[in-house]
Amino acid sequence: MKRFTRIVFLAVPVLASLAACVSAPTGPTVAIMPRVGKPFEVFQQEDQVCRQFAANAVKDTSDAALKEGATSAAIGAALGAAAGAVIQGGNHANIGTGAGVGLLGGAAMGAMNSAGKQNQAQTQYNIAYQQCMYSKGNQVPSYAAPASGPSNR
């Protein structure tokens, strides 16, 4: 039982570090330029509004990435503990080892799943940010500059 307790105490920092590796997008990874003649101060204000819009658009996806990592690591540890007990015929000394191996495997799977969700969140963030900036009349890569009109000022 002591070994299992030690594994649990070691698992907490691993789970905490896994959660620390996953983060919500902090900004766009695409370049947007102001349209010709737009004051830079106006462009900066629009940028801030659109960053907030994009952050709100991906909030649920970012939260899901954090939960995915922690859940996968916890399930891996539980399955590892069960496998350790079954393989060793109920020998309690090996439950902790099984939990440790399961935790590492679960943490690795959680990290991969979280990375995929994090990439998805960044892509969604970029799309929302581009849409917002384009609607304000700015130049977005691969799209023609919107026609200057009353709604774009």
Side-chain angles (χ1 to χ4, degrees):
M1 188 63 173
K2 282 184 180 179
R3 189 179 226 177
F4 181 72
T5 304
R6 277 187 258 151
I7 294 296
V8 169
F9 283 123
L10 292 173
V12 172
V14 171
L15 290 171
S17 66
L18 176 64
C21 292
V22 180
S23 62
T26 57
T29 57
V30 293
I32 306 294
M33 300 297 153
R35 75 170 183 266
V36 177
K38 179 180 278 191
F40 188 66
E41 295 76 23
V42 173
F43 177 76
Q44 287 179 310
Q45 291 170 353
E46 292 171 352
D47 175 66
Q48 289 304 311
V49 168
C50 290
R51 284 173 185 255
Q52 186 62 46
F53 171 77
N56 289 336
V58 299
K59 187 173 183 338
D60 291 338
T61 303
S62 298
D63 291 345
L66 290 170
K67 289 176 188 172
E68 181 91 29
T71 301
S72 292
I75 290 172
L79 291 175
V86 170
I87 291 170
Q88 297 302 316
N91 182 350
H92 295 295
N94 294 312
I95 292 174
T97 303
V101 171
L103 176 66
L104 291 175
M109 290 301 293
M112 288 189 310
N113 291 340
S114 294
K117 293 238 185 251
Q118 191 170 0
N119 289 339
Q120 179 185 2
Q122 184 65 57
T123 299
Q124 289 175 340
Y125 182 99
N126 287 343
I127 290 169
Y129 177 76
Q130 286 177 313
Q131 289 172 336
C132 180
M133 291 298 280
Y134 187 82
S135 73
K136 296 191 177 297
N138 297 297
Q139 297 178 20
V140 175
S142 302
Y143 294 94
S148 182
S151 63
N152 293 330
R153 291 189 185 172

